[in-house]
PDB file of all heavy atoms in Angstrom:
ATOM      1  N   SER A  64     -28.035  -8.552  35.520  1.00 92.00           N
ATOM      2  CA  SER A  64     -28.045  -9.438  34.491  1.00 92.00           C
ATOM      3  C   SER A  64     -27.424  -8.758  33.223  1.00 92.00           C
ATOM      4  O   SER A  64     -26.675  -9.230  32.547  1.00 92.00           O
ATOM      5  CB  SER A  64     -29.459 -10.058  34.282  1.00 92.00           C
ATOM      6  OG  SER A  64     -29.396 -10.965  33.140  1.00 92.00           O
ATOM      7  N   GLN A  68     -23.719  -9.124  31.038  1.00 93.00           N
ATOM      8  CA  GLN A  68     -23.486  -9.172  29.565  1.00 93.00           C
ATOM      9  C   GLN A  68     -22.555  -8.055  29.035  1.00 93.00           C
ATOM     10  O   GLN A  68     -21.737  -8.350  28.253  1.00 93.00           O
ATOM     11  CB  GLN A  68     -24.898  -9.131  28.826  1.00 93.00           C
ATOM     12  CG  GLN A  68     -25.841 -10.294  29.166  1.00 93.00           C
ATOM     13  CD  GLN A  68     -25.089 -11.652  29.078  1.00 93.00           C
ATOM     14  OE1 GLN A  68     -24.819 -12.191  30.070  1.00 93.00           O
ATOM     15  NE2 GLN A  68     -24.860 -12.098  27.906  1.00 93.00           N
ATOM     16  N   SER A  72     -19.132  -8.743  27.019  1.00 90.00           N
ATOM     17  CA  SER A  72     -19.019  -8.329  25.707  1.00 90.00           C
ATOM     18  C   SER A  72     -18.303  -7.024  25.399  1.00 90.00           C
ATOM     19  O   SER A  72     -17.654  -6.721  24.463  1.00 90.00           O
ATOM     20  CB  SER A  72     -20.350  -8.224  24.946  1.00 90.00           C
ATOM     21  OG  SER A  72     -21.003  -7.056  25.456  1.00 90.00           O
ATOM     22  N   HIS A  76     -24.849  -2.104  27.907  1.00 86.00           N
ATOM     23  CA  HIS A  76     -26.139  -2.614  27.828  1.00 86.00           C
ATOM     24  C   HIS A  76     -27.161  -1.594  28.393  1.00 86.00           C
ATOM     25  O   HIS A  76     -26.853  -1.110  29.584  1.00 86.00           O
ATOM     26  CB  HIS A  76     -26.408  -3.885  28.580  1.00 86.00           C
ATOM     27  CG  HIS A  76     -26.160  -5.033  27.830  1.00 86.00           C
ATOM     28  ND1 HIS A  76     -27.204  -5.989  27.512  1.00 86.00           N
ATOM     29  CD2 HIS A  76     -25.031  -5.450  27.177  1.00 86.00           C
ATOM     30  CE1 HIS A  76     -26.690  -6.950  26.663  1.00 86.00           C
ATOM     31  NE2 HIS A  76     -25.405  -6.697  26.509  1.00 86.00           N
ATOM     32  N   ASN A  98     -11.208  -3.336  37.678  1.00 85.00           N
ATOM     33  CA  ASN A  98     -11.681  -4.370  38.530  1.00 85.00           C
ATOM     34  C   ASN A  98     -12.742  -3.857  39.529  1.00 85.00           C
ATOM     35  O   ASN A  98     -13.079  -4.631  40.418  1.00 85.00           O
ATOM     36  CB  ASN A  98     -10.593  -4.965  39.313  1.00 85.00           C
ATOM     37  CG  ASN A  98      -9.929  -4.106  40.223  1.00 85.00           C
ATOM     38  OD1 ASN A  98      -9.961  -2.775  40.152  1.00 85.00           O
ATOM     39  ND2 ASN A  98      -9.351  -4.468  41.330  1.00 85.00           N
ATOM     40  N   PHE A 138     -19.497 -11.081  40.235  1.00 94.00           N
ATOM     41  CA  PHE A 138     -19.744 -12.402  39.837  1.00 94.00           C
ATOM     42  C   PHE A 138     -20.706 -13.130  40.733  1.00 94.00           C
ATOM     43  O   PHE A 138     -21.660 -13.825  40.327  1.00 94.00           O
ATOM     44  CB  PHE A 138     -18.588 -13.200  39.521  1.00 94.00           C
ATOM     45  CG  PHE A 138     -18.827 -14.662  39.320  1.00 94.00           C
ATOM     46  CD1 PHE A 138     -19.428 -15.051  38.126  1.00 94.00           C
ATOM     47  CD2 PHE A 138     -18.545 -15.713  40.177  1.00 94.00           C
ATOM     48  CE1 PHE A 138     -19.706 -16.333  37.841  1.00 94.00           C
ATOM     49  CE2 PHE A 138     -18.842 -16.920  40.042  1.00 94.00           C
ATOM     50  CZ  PHE A 138     -19.424 -17.378  38.781  1.00 94.00           C
ATOM     51  N   ASP A 139     -20.399 -12.985  42.085  1.00 94.00           N
ATOM     52  CA  ASP A 139     -21.269 -13.778  43.043  1.00 94.00           C
ATOM     53  C   ASP A 139     -22.703 -13.182  43.032  1.00 94.00           C
ATOM     54  O   ASP A 139     -23.674 -13.876  43.188  1.00 94.00           O
ATOM     55  CB  ASP A 139     -20.647 -13.639  44.431  1.00 94.00           C
ATOM     56  CG  ASP A 139     -19.452 -14.576  44.715  1.00 94.00           C
ATOM     57  OD1 ASP A 139     -19.336 -15.464  43.769  1.00 94.00           O
ATOM     58  OD2 ASP A 139     -18.749 -14.487  45.634  1.00 94.00           O
ATOM     59  N   GLU A 142     -24.398 -14.567  39.999  1.00 93.00           N
ATOM     60  CA  GLU A 142     -24.627 -16.006  40.326  1.00 93.00           C
ATOM     61  C   GLU A 142     -25.824 -16.110  41.220  1.00 93.00           C
ATOM     62  O   GLU A 142     -26.740 -17.019  40.964  1.00 93.00           O
ATOM     63  CB  GLU A 142     -23.422 -16.632  40.886  1.00 93.00           C
ATOM     64  CG  GLU A 142     -23.372 -18.152  40.947  1.00 93.00           C
ATOM     65  CD  GLU A 142     -23.492 -18.795  39.462  1.00 93.00           C
ATOM     66  OE1 GLU A 142     -23.386 -18.040  38.525  1.00 93.00           O
ATOM     67  OE2 GLU A 142     -23.734 -19.926  39.435  1.00 93.00           O
ATOM     68  N   ASP A 145     -28.718 -15.567  38.933  1.00 92.00           N
ATOM     69  CA  ASP A 145     -29.003 -16.531  38.005  1.00 92.00           C
ATOM     70  C   ASP A 145     -29.644 -17.818  38.877  1.00 92.00           C
ATOM     71  O   ASP A 145     -30.467 -18.560  38.292  1.00 92.00           O
ATOM     72  CB  ASP A 145     -27.638 -17.062  37.427  1.00 92.00           C
ATOM     73  CG  ASP A 145     -27.402 -16.203  36.188  1.00 92.00           C
ATOM     74  OD1 ASP A 145     -28.138 -15.335  35.844  1.00 92.00           O
ATOM     75  OD2 ASP A 145     -26.287 -16.265  35.745  1.00 92.00           O
ATOM     76  N   LEU A 164     -27.462  -7.585  21.954  1.00 84.00           N
ATOM     77  CA  LEU A 164     -27.810  -6.280  21.490  1.00 84.00           C
ATOM     78  C   LEU A 164     -27.822  -6.252  20.016  1.00 84.00           C
ATOM     79  O   LEU A 164     -26.986  -6.831  19.343  1.00 84.00           O
ATOM     80  CB  LEU A 164     -26.856  -5.268  22.148  1.00 84.00           C
ATOM     81  CG  LEU A 164     -26.922  -5.120  23.611  1.00 84.00           C
ATOM     82  CD1 LEU A 164     -25.831  -4.174  23.909  1.00 84.00           C
ATOM     83  CD2 LEU A 164     -28.226  -4.481  23.995  1.00 84.00           C
ATOM     84  N   LYS A 166     -27.396  -4.177  16.256  1.00 80.00           N
ATOM     85  CA  LYS A 166     -26.252  -3.353  15.714  1.00 80.00           C
ATOM     86  C   LYS A 166     -26.179  -1.900  16.163  1.00 80.00           C
ATOM     87  O   LYS A 166     -25.189  -1.422  16.348  1.00 80.00           O
ATOM     88  CB  LYS A 166     -26.306  -3.431  14.148  1.00 80.00           C
ATOM     89  CG  LYS A 166     -25.695  -4.678  13.575  1.00 80.00           C
ATOM     90  CD  LYS A 166     -25.446  -4.375  12.162  1.00 80.00           C
ATOM     91  CE  LYS A 166     -24.593  -5.633  11.484  1.00 80.00           C
ATOM     92  NZ  LYS A 166     -25.487  -6.734  11.132  1.00 80.00           N
ATOM     93  N   SER A 306       2.128 -23.435  13.602  1.00 82.00           N
ATOM     94  CA  SER A 306       1.091 -22.836  12.691  1.00 82.00           C
ATOM     95  C   SER A 306       1.569 -23.196  11.228  1.00 82.00           C
ATOM     96  O   SER A 306       0.803 -23.578  10.417  1.00 82.00           O
ATOM     97  CB  SER A 306       0.961 -21.377  12.913  1.00 82.00           C
ATOM     98  OG  SER A 306       0.873 -21.070  14.208  1.00 82.00           O
ATOM     99  N   TYR A 309       1.222 -26.955  10.329  1.00 81.00           N
ATOM    100  CA  TYR A 309      -0.206 -27.318  10.251  1.00 81.00           C
ATOM    101  C   TYR A 309      -0.783 -26.901   8.880  1.00 81.00           C
ATOM    102  O   TYR A 309      -1.425 -27.562   8.201  1.00 81.00           O
ATOM    103  CB  TYR A 309      -1.060 -26.734  11.392  1.00 81.00           C
ATOM    104  CG  TYR A 309      -1.255 -27.758  12.531  1.00 81.00           C
ATOM    105  CD1 TYR A 309      -1.168 -27.352  13.827  1.00 81.00           C
ATOM    106  CD2 TYR A 309      -1.587 -29.081  12.177  1.00 81.00           C
ATOM    107  CE1 TYR A 309      -1.365 -28.271  14.807  1.00 81.00           C
ATOM    108  CE2 TYR A 309      -1.800 -29.974  13.183  1.00 81.00           C
ATOM    109  CZ  TYR A 309      -1.688 -29.569  14.533  1.00 81.00           C
ATOM    110  OH  TYR A 309      -1.932 -30.414  15.580  1.00 81.00           O
ATOM    111  N   MET A 313      -1.969 -29.286   5.891  1.00 76.00           N
ATOM    112  CA  MET A 313      -3.282 -29.371   5.436  1.00 76.00           C
ATOM    113  C   MET A 313      -3.545 -29.384   3.971  1.00 76.00           C
ATOM    114  O   MET A 313      -4.501 -29.885   3.374  1.00 76.00           O
ATOM    115  CB  MET A 313      -4.070 -28.103   5.956  1.00 76.00           C
ATOM    116  CG  MET A 313      -4.774 -28.396   7.257  1.00 76.00           C
ATOM    117  SD  MET A 313      -5.415 -26.819   7.764  1.00 76.00           S
ATOM    118  CE  MET A 313      -4.711 -26.661   9.302  1.00 76.00           C
ATOM    119  N   GLY A 383      -3.135 -37.467  12.692  1.00 76.00           N
ATOM    120  CA  GLY A 383      -3.230 -36.042  12.273  1.00 76.00           C
ATOM    121  C   GLY A 383      -2.921 -35.031  13.331  1.00 76.00           C
ATOM    122  O   GLY A 383      -3.139 -33.868  13.213  1.00 76.00           O
ATOM    123  N   ILE A 384      -2.173 -35.576  14.364  1.00 79.00           N
ATOM    124  CA  ILE A 384      -1.637 -34.667  15.259  1.00 79.00           C
ATOM    125  C   ILE A 384      -0.136 -34.377  15.189  1.00 79.00           C
ATOM    126  O   ILE A 384       0.582 -35.197  14.815  1.00 79.00           O
ATOM    127  CB  ILE A 384      -1.996 -35.278  16.783  1.00 79.00           C
ATOM    128  CG1 ILE A 384      -3.531 -35.198  16.949  1.00 79.00           C
ATOM    129  CG2 ILE A 384      -1.336 -34.590  17.835  1.00 79.00           C
ATOM    130  CD1 ILE A 384      -3.951 -35.761  18.266  1.00 79.00           C
ATOM    131  N   PRO A 399      -1.463 -26.060  20.584  1.00 53.00           N
ATOM    132  CA  PRO A 399      -1.911 -26.020  19.204  1.00 53.00           C
ATOM    133  C   PRO A 399      -1.716 -24.877  18.474  1.00 53.00           C
ATOM    134  O   PRO A 399      -1.572 -23.718  19.144  1.00 53.00           O
ATOM    135  CB  PRO A 399      -3.411 -26.340  19.391  1.00 53.00           C
ATOM    136  CG  PRO A 399      -3.717 -25.707  20.679  1.00 53.00           C
ATOM    137  CD  PRO A 399      -2.494 -25.883  21.548  1.00 53.00           C
TER     138      PRO A 399
ATOM    139  N   ALA B  52      -3.818 -27.233  26.214  1.00 79.00           N
ATOM    140  CA  ALA B  52      -4.051 -27.621  24.831  1.00 79.00           C
ATOM    141  C   ALA B  52      -4.510 -29.154  24.860  1.00 79.00           C
ATOM    142  O   ALA B  52      -5.548 -29.451  24.136  1.00 79.00           O
ATOM    143  CB  ALA B  52      -2.789 -27.536  24.069  1.00 79.00           C
ATOM    144  N   ARG B  71      -6.802 -32.383  16.547  1.00 86.00           N
ATOM    145  CA  ARG B  71      -6.080 -31.185  16.838  1.00 86.00           C
ATOM    146  C   ARG B  71      -6.194 -30.268  15.711  1.00 86.00           C
ATOM    147  O   ARG B  71      -6.214 -28.988  15.754  1.00 86.00           O
ATOM    148  CB  ARG B  71      -4.579 -31.610  17.201  1.00 86.00           C
ATOM    149  CG  ARG B  71      -3.968 -30.552  17.954  1.00 86.00           C
ATOM    150  CD  ARG B  71      -2.532 -31.044  18.138  1.00 86.00           C
ATOM    151  NE  ARG B  71      -2.423 -31.987  19.194  1.00 86.00           N
ATOM    152  CZ  ARG B  71      -1.866 -31.735  20.330  1.00 86.00           C
ATOM    153  NH1 ARG B  71      -1.312 -30.573  20.611  1.00 86.00           N
ATOM    154  NH2 ARG B  71      -1.876 -32.684  21.402  1.00 86.00           N
ATOM    155  N   VAL B  72      -5.985 -30.787  14.544  1.00 88.00           N
ATOM    156  CA  VAL B  72      -5.966 -29.988  13.267  1.00 88.00           C
ATOM    157  C   VAL B  72      -7.306 -29.254  13.134  1.00 88.00           C
ATOM    158  O   VAL B  72      -7.338 -27.980  12.894  1.00 88.00           O
ATOM    159  CB  VAL B  72      -5.598 -30.802  11.982  1.00 88.00           C
ATOM    160  CG1 VAL B  72      -5.662 -29.887  10.847  1.00 88.00           C
ATOM    161  CG2 VAL B  72      -4.380 -31.436  12.129  1.00 88.00           C
ATOM    162  N   TRP B  75      -7.623 -26.572  15.544  1.00 90.00           N
ATOM    163  CA  TRP B  75      -6.823 -25.433  15.321  1.00 90.00           C
ATOM    164  C   TRP B  75      -7.371 -24.614  14.183  1.00 90.00           C
ATOM    165  O   TRP B  75      -7.383 -23.375  14.234  1.00 90.00           O
ATOM    166  CB  TRP B  75      -5.387 -25.908  14.881  1.00 90.00           C
ATOM    167  CG  TRP B  75      -4.469 -24.811  14.550  1.00 90.00           C
ATOM    168  CD1 TRP B  75      -3.760 -23.993  15.373  1.00 90.00           C
ATOM    169  CD2 TRP B  75      -4.257 -24.330  13.154  1.00 90.00           C
ATOM    170  NE1 TRP B  75      -3.124 -23.043  14.607  1.00 90.00           N
ATOM    171  CE2 TRP B  75      -3.304 -23.227  13.203  1.00 90.00           C
ATOM    172  CE3 TRP B  75      -4.644 -24.693  11.852  1.00 90.00           C
ATOM    173  CZ2 TRP B  75      -2.885 -22.544  12.173  1.00 90.00           C
ATOM    174  CZ3 TRP B  75      -4.174 -24.055  10.805  1.00 90.00           C
ATOM    175  CH2 TRP B  75      -3.259 -22.896  10.904  1.00 90.00           C
ATOM    176  N   ARG B  76      -8.042 -25.291  13.194  1.00 90.00           N
ATOM    177  CA  ARG B  76      -8.609 -24.491  12.106  1.00 90.00           C
ATOM    178  C   ARG B  76      -9.910 -23.723  12.738  1.00 90.00           C
ATOM    179  O   ARG B  76      -9.980 -22.549  12.153  1.00 90.00           O
ATOM    180  CB  ARG B  76      -9.108 -25.489  11.109  1.00 90.00           C
ATOM    181  CG  ARG B  76      -8.027 -26.123  10.376  1.00 90.00           C
ATOM    182  CD  ARG B  76      -8.688 -27.169   9.534  1.00 90.00           C
ATOM    183  NE  ARG B  76      -8.709 -26.691   8.069  1.00 90.00           N
ATOM    184  CZ  ARG B  76      -8.862 -27.496   7.034  1.00 90.00           C
ATOM    185  NH1 ARG B  76      -8.882 -28.839   7.173  1.00 90.00           N
ATOM    186  NH2 ARG B  76      -8.945 -27.063   5.868  1.00 90.00           N
ATOM    187  N   TYR B  86      -1.703 -16.969  11.120  1.00 84.00           N
ATOM    188  CA  TYR B  86      -2.210 -17.790  10.049  1.00 84.00           C
ATOM    189  C   TYR B  86      -3.663 -17.974  10.123  1.00 84.00           C
ATOM    190  O   TYR B  86      -4.204 -19.049  10.298  1.00 84.00           O
ATOM    191  CB  TYR B  86      -1.477 -19.123  10.169  1.00 84.00           C
ATOM    192  CG  TYR B  86       0.032 -19.061  10.001  1.00 84.00           C
ATOM    193  CD1 TYR B  86       0.842 -19.014  11.181  1.00 84.00           C
ATOM    194  CD2 TYR B  86       0.701 -18.792   8.752  1.00 84.00           C
ATOM    195  CE1 TYR B  86       2.149 -18.772  10.977  1.00 84.00           C
ATOM    196  CE2 TYR B  86       2.006 -18.676   8.654  1.00 84.00           C
ATOM    197  CZ  TYR B  86       2.779 -18.599   9.777  1.00 84.00           C
ATOM    198  OH  TYR B  86       4.177 -18.365   9.642  1.00 84.00           O
ATOM    199  N   ARG B 116     -10.880 -17.578  40.484  1.00 94.00           N
ATOM    200  CA  ARG B 116     -11.315 -16.630  41.702  1.00 94.00           C
ATOM    201  C   ARG B 116     -10.113 -16.154  42.460  1.00 94.00           C
ATOM    202  O   ARG B 116      -9.984 -14.997  42.789  1.00 94.00           O
ATOM    203  CB  ARG B 116     -12.251 -17.408  42.570  1.00 94.00           C
ATOM    204  CG  ARG B 116     -13.542 -17.598  42.147  1.00 94.00           C
ATOM    205  CD  ARG B 116     -14.454 -18.210  43.245  1.00 94.00           C
ATOM    206  NE  ARG B 116     -14.938 -17.224  44.243  1.00 94.00           N
ATOM    207  CZ  ARG B 116     -16.116 -16.740  44.349  1.00 94.00           C
ATOM    208  NH1 ARG B 116     -16.993 -17.076  43.408  1.00 94.00           N
ATOM    209  NH2 ARG B 116     -16.385 -15.779  45.203  1.00 94.00           N
ATOM    210  N   ASP B 123      -7.021  -7.906  42.773  1.00 91.00           N
ATOM    211  CA  ASP B 123      -7.668  -6.822  43.555  1.00 91.00           C
ATOM    212  C   ASP B 123      -6.680  -6.305  44.680  1.00 91.00           C
ATOM    213  O   ASP B 123      -6.486  -5.132  44.780  1.00 91.00           O
ATOM    214  CB  ASP B 123      -8.943  -7.252  44.128  1.00 91.00           C
ATOM    215  CG  ASP B 123     -10.028  -7.541  43.119  1.00 91.00           C
ATOM    216  OD1 ASP B 123      -9.755  -6.977  42.005  1.00 91.00           O
ATOM    217  OD2 ASP B 123     -10.923  -8.140  43.336  1.00 91.00           O
ATOM    218  N   HIS B 148       2.053 -16.358  24.479  1.00 93.00           N
ATOM    219  CA  HIS B 148       1.083 -16.922  23.477  1.00 93.00           C
ATOM    220  C   HIS B 148       0.579 -15.940  22.491  1.00 93.00           C
ATOM    221  O   HIS B 148       0.546 -16.201  21.417  1.00 93.00           O
ATOM    222  CB  HIS B 148      -0.036 -17.518  24.270  1.00 93.00           C
ATOM    223  CG  HIS B 148       0.351 -18.838  25.005  1.00 93.00           C
ATOM    224  ND1 HIS B 148       1.337 -19.611  24.650  1.00 93.00           N
ATOM    225  CD2 HIS B 148      -0.328 -19.425  25.980  1.00 93.00           C
ATOM    226  CE1 HIS B 148       1.394 -20.627  25.451  1.00 93.00           C
ATOM    227  NE2 HIS B 148       0.349 -20.600  26.309  1.00 93.00           N
ATOM    228  N   GLY B 178     -11.383 -12.368  34.087  1.00 95.00           N
ATOM    229  CA  GLY B 178     -12.664 -12.028  34.588  1.00 95.00           C
ATOM    230  C   GLY B 178     -13.781 -12.560  33.876  1.00 95.00           C
ATOM    231  O   GLY B 178     -14.713 -13.120  34.381  1.00 95.00           O
ATOM    232  N   GLN B 179     -13.750 -12.467  32.529  1.00 95.00           N
ATOM    233  CA  GLN B 179     -14.764 -13.040  31.770  1.00 95.00           C
ATOM    234  C   GLN B 179     -14.785 -14.619  31.866  1.00 95.00           C
ATOM    235  O   GLN B 179     -15.960 -15.194  31.845  1.00 95.00           O
ATOM    236  CB  GLN B 179     -14.576 -12.649  30.221  1.00 95.00           C
ATOM    237  CG  GLN B 179     -14.883 -11.150  30.053  1.00 95.00           C
ATOM    238  CD  GLN B 179     -14.215 -10.592  28.794  1.00 95.00           C
ATOM    239  OE1 GLN B 179     -13.446 -11.390  28.038  1.00 95.00           O
ATOM    240  NE2 GLN B 179     -14.493  -9.421  28.438  1.00 95.00           N
ATOM    241  N   LEU B 181     -14.319 -16.132  34.571  1.00 96.00           N
ATOM    242  CA  LEU B 181     -15.001 -16.386  35.805  1.00 96.00           C
ATOM    243  C   LEU B 181     -16.490 -16.389  35.532  1.00 96.00           C
ATOM    244  O   LEU B 181     -17.253 -17.287  36.060  1.00 96.00           O
ATOM    245  CB  LEU B 181     -14.682 -15.300  36.903  1.00 96.00           C
ATOM    246  CG  LEU B 181     -15.426 -15.392  38.219  1.00 96.00           C
ATOM    247  CD1 LEU B 181     -14.983 -16.694  38.970  1.00 96.00           C
ATOM    248  CD2 LEU B 181     -15.171 -14.216  39.094  1.00 96.00           C
ATOM    249  N   GLY B 185     -20.303 -19.858  35.856  1.00 91.00           N
ATOM    250  CA  GLY B 185     -21.569 -19.714  36.573  1.00 91.00           C
ATOM    251  C   GLY B 185     -22.620 -20.877  36.037  1.00 91.00           C
ATOM    252  O   GLY B 185     -22.426 -21.426  35.042  1.00 91.00           O
ATOM    253  N   ALA B 186     -23.739 -20.800  36.800  1.00 89.00           N
ATOM    254  CA  ALA B 186     -24.853 -21.644  36.391  1.00 89.00           C
ATOM    255  C   ALA B 186     -25.341 -21.383  34.962  1.00 89.00           C
ATOM    256  O   ALA B 186     -25.602 -22.249  34.322  1.00 89.00           O
ATOM    257  CB  ALA B 186     -26.008 -21.578  37.437  1.00 89.00           C
ATOM    258  N   ARG B 191     -24.873 -16.940  29.102  1.00 95.00           N
ATOM    259  CA  ARG B 191     -24.413 -15.638  29.085  1.00 95.00           C
ATOM    260  C   ARG B 191     -23.212 -15.345  28.159  1.00 95.00           C
ATOM    261  O   ARG B 191     -23.248 -14.327  27.374  1.00 95.00           O
ATOM    262  CB  ARG B 191     -23.860 -15.268  30.538  1.00 95.00           C
ATOM    263  CG  ARG B 191     -25.049 -15.135  31.527  1.00 95.00           C
ATOM    264  CD  ARG B 191     -24.657 -14.459  32.882  1.00 95.00           C
ATOM    265  NE  ARG B 191     -25.777 -14.213  33.605  1.00 95.00           N
ATOM    266  CZ  ARG B 191     -26.676 -13.287  33.519  1.00 95.00           C
ATOM    267  NH1 ARG B 191     -26.540 -12.349  32.566  1.00 95.00           N
ATOM    268  NH2 ARG B 191     -27.648 -13.203  34.371  1.00 95.00           N
ATOM    269  N   ASP B 198     -23.369  -9.601  20.956  1.00 90.00           N
ATOM    270  CA  ASP B 198     -23.786  -8.146  21.334  1.00 90.00           C
ATOM    271  C   ASP B 198     -23.424  -7.216  20.295  1.00 90.00           C
ATOM    272  O   ASP B 198     -22.202  -7.237  19.791  1.00 90.00           O
ATOM    273  CB  ASP B 198     -23.194  -7.737  22.660  1.00 90.00           C
ATOM    274  CG  ASP B 198     -24.091  -8.032  23.841  1.00 90.00           C
ATOM    275  OD1 ASP B 198     -25.280  -8.393  23.611  1.00 90.00           O
ATOM    276  OD2 ASP B 198     -23.722  -7.748  25.034  1.00 90.00           O
ATOM    277  N   GLY B 199     -24.309  -6.416  19.798  1.00 86.00           N
ATOM    278  CA  GLY B 199     -23.984  -5.402  18.772  1.00 86.00           C
ATOM    279  C   GLY B 199     -23.846  -5.978  17.364  1.00 86.00           C
ATOM    280  O   GLY B 199     -23.385  -5.357  16.546  1.00 86.00           O
ATOM    281  N   ALA B 201     -26.521  -8.427  16.339  1.00 83.00           N
ATOM    282  CA  ALA B 201     -27.812  -8.914  16.060  1.00 83.00           C
ATOM    283  C   ALA B 201     -28.517  -7.952  15.164  1.00 83.00           C
ATOM    284  O   ALA B 201     -28.238  -6.756  15.175  1.00 83.00           O
ATOM    285  CB  ALA B 201     -28.638  -9.216  17.259  1.00 83.00           C
TER     286      ALA B 201
END
Side-chain angles (χ1 to χ4, degrees):
Chain A
S64 181
Q68 294 313 105
S72 70
H76 272 244
N98 65 330
F138 168 73
D139 281 349
E142 196 55 16
D145 279 350
L164 287 180
K166 279 202 169 83
S306 312
Y309 262 138
M313 265 175 237
I384 289 176
Chain B
R71 200 181 284 248
V72 178
W75 179 80
R76 291 172 99 163
Y86 298 96
R116 280 186 82 102
D123 290 339
H148 287 339
Q179 287 163 353
L181 178 66
R191 288 196 176 278
D198 264 356

